[in-house]
Amino acid sequence: MNARPALRQNDYSPIAAPQLGAWSPALSVSVVIPAHGGQDKLGLTLAALAAQTYPDHLMEVLVVDDGSAPPLRLPELRPVNTRLVRVRDGWGISNAVNTGAKAADGEIIQRLDSDMVACREHIEALARWHHVTDYLVTIGMKKFVDAPPVSPRQIFEARHLSEVFDLAEAVSSSTEATIAKTDGLRKSRNPYHVCTGPTFALPREVFHAVGGLDPTVARGEDTEFSYRLAMHGVVFVPDLDAQAVHLGLPAQHRDRERAVRAVEPYLAHRIPLRRDLRKERGRRWLVPYVEIVLDVTDTSESVVRQAVSAALDGKLQDVVVTLVGPWSRLDDSRRFALSDPCFELRLLRDLFAHDERIRLIDEAAPTPAPTPFRYRGPVDVPLHKATLERMIESVQKDLAGVLVVDLPDGRTARLERTSALGRATLLAGPGADLDDLIDTTHGVRHEPPDRFWPAPAQPGPVTIPAPVPLPVESPEKTLLRRLKSALRPN
């Protein structure tokens, strides 16, 4: 592998994987299989892996027993390099996958379910792309079947899945329809949606760089992990040659309504791009939609207070404010004196220290992942109520990586897409200009400030109505009225 092309969005068309059976693999693969019970199905899964076309000396299989009772055992028919790893701490699929990945020696991590039967070329098909470049996530195909009375030996000897499974009666995965509609994900706006766990492969370094799967996510853990991969800047590649069958229908087919409801809280808190799950105003979420970064070095308290107030009071309130300054210079080992040279900085820290929406850091991180957007602008140019909402609306039209607003005084404000920043960071060499890379992979757009900082509405002309003249009474009527009043008995 000697290339790292700057692919645009999720269009991997410029790269081509080697033809199956006509190339020489060089990267080692660790197949990680989390399992809880299901000894019989596991036997079929391992039999299929024993028949893979990928070289034995480059493939290891780690079966991670997540507290099975009775404990799982390795069947006789299995790949040459197969290990049984037992979970010692924690529980659940995410924890089991992480346990296997930590024990893995391979350069590629292949995640596979313990009730999946893969075609002979499955591992080879997904691994070949990783020999081309190192920031891809490859996704295998799957169909759901009722497990037939078939033996591991039959699985091992079958040349094609159709020899042992009735694929005509199989239930296709919904992800395959999405892949077809989006030109193999090349035109997908959110390709991470289809990377749903049963079979995908990625570089081990990428797996660990994003922190592995989150053990606190009990439902939708694969989607949440794939979202963080997207924020890291990867490209998702589905391979139609990596076929497999899933033994049995998934839970959502048995009770779709409950399955959807069960996963929503986890995704709502962790995937801000799911705006449909964050409809309640005033809520606070685990991962905010936008990080607002303001450099407050040598800035007065009044200016910072105005900027923070404007940032938190916009139409878009799903935000966190990061104040960048030399906070580490503050010395708490002595009493705070009014003559303290860091008086303003200390005042700001004490003012904002207990607001969970405000972070105080010395230097902004390279990307705000997993937050999907980051705003940067002058602290003395407070956000308008509509600024963030309109900036995001603008970049979402064409999925631009950066929107730069050219302010009248020559300075700029910018909205950055985290996935674009992540991609640029992966591709950047020493001294590389990130905006140049983002322009290639996602696009950088410049716009004037008028739409994002609209001028206040001018009051219209005030029209004062003319006074209504009082009716004029004739002298005769006035005299008659007075006489009647005088003659009226008391």
Side-chain angles (χ1 to χ4, degrees), residues 412-488:
T412 61
R414 51 192 284 137
L415 183 75
E416 302 165 335
R417 184 184 298 277
T418 301
S419 56
L421 279 174
R423 178 83 54 85
T425 302
L426 287 173
L427 299 174
D433 187 297
L434 291 185
D435 273 11
D436 286 346
L437 287 168
I438 293 173
D439 195 29
T440 300
T441 62
H442 290 77
V444 174
R445 192 165 66 249
H446 286 256
E447 293 190 20
D450 300 0
R451 180 167 177 266
F452 309 108
W453 277 270
Q458 296 297 323
V462 178
T463 303
I464 301 176
V468 178
L470 296 174
V472 179
E473 194 174 50
S474 65
E476 292 81 1
K477 286 186 177 181
T478 300
L479 179 60
L480 181 61
R481 177 171 52 78
R482 289 177 176 174
L483 286 172
K484 288 180 178 179
S485 177
L487 295 174
R488 185 179 299 121

Side-chain angles (χ1 to χ4, degrees), residues 115-166:
D115 52 5
M116 294 277 284
V117 175
C119 72
R120 286 174 170 262
E121 303 81 14
H122 196 96
I123 303 300
E124 180 188 353
L126 295 185
R128 57 180 170 165
W129 293 92
H130 300 289
H131 287 70
V132 179
T133 191
D134 62 356
Y135 68 101
L136 307 178
V137 174
T138 50
I139 305 168
M141 304 297 105
K142 61 182 180 295
K143 287 182 169 58
F144 299 97
V145 299
D146 288 326
V150 60
S151 70
R153 178 58 58 179
Q154 289 175 292
I155 294 290
F156 177 76
E157 294 177 350
R159 305 298 301 176
H160 304 284
L161 293 175
S162 59
E163 295 178 19
V164 286
F165 299 105
D166 185 0

Side-chain angles (χ1 to χ4, degrees), residues 26-108:
L27 298 177
S28 55
V29 176
S30 294
V31 183
V32 176
I33 304 176
H36 180 74
Q39 181 71 53
D40 291 342
K41 289 182 178 180
L42 176 63
L44 302 180
T45 298
L46 292 178
L49 290 176
Q52 291 295 302
T53 58
Y54 207 73
D56 285 342
H57 71 281
L58 290 176
M59 188 177 81
E60 67 169 354
V61 176
L62 296 95
V63 177
V64 185
D65 186 353
D66 183 26
S68 302
L72 293 173
R73 64 186 188 281
L74 292 180
E76 181 179 348
L77 183 52
R78 61 180 188 264
V80 174
N81 301 311
T82 302
R83 287 187 278 155
L84 185 61
V85 179
R86 302 198 188 278
V87 173
R88 302 301 179 190
D89 299 301
W91 62 275
I93 292 176
S94 296
N95 186 65
V97 173
N98 292 345
T99 300
K102 288 176 183 176
D105 296 324
E107 296 158 283
I108 300 169

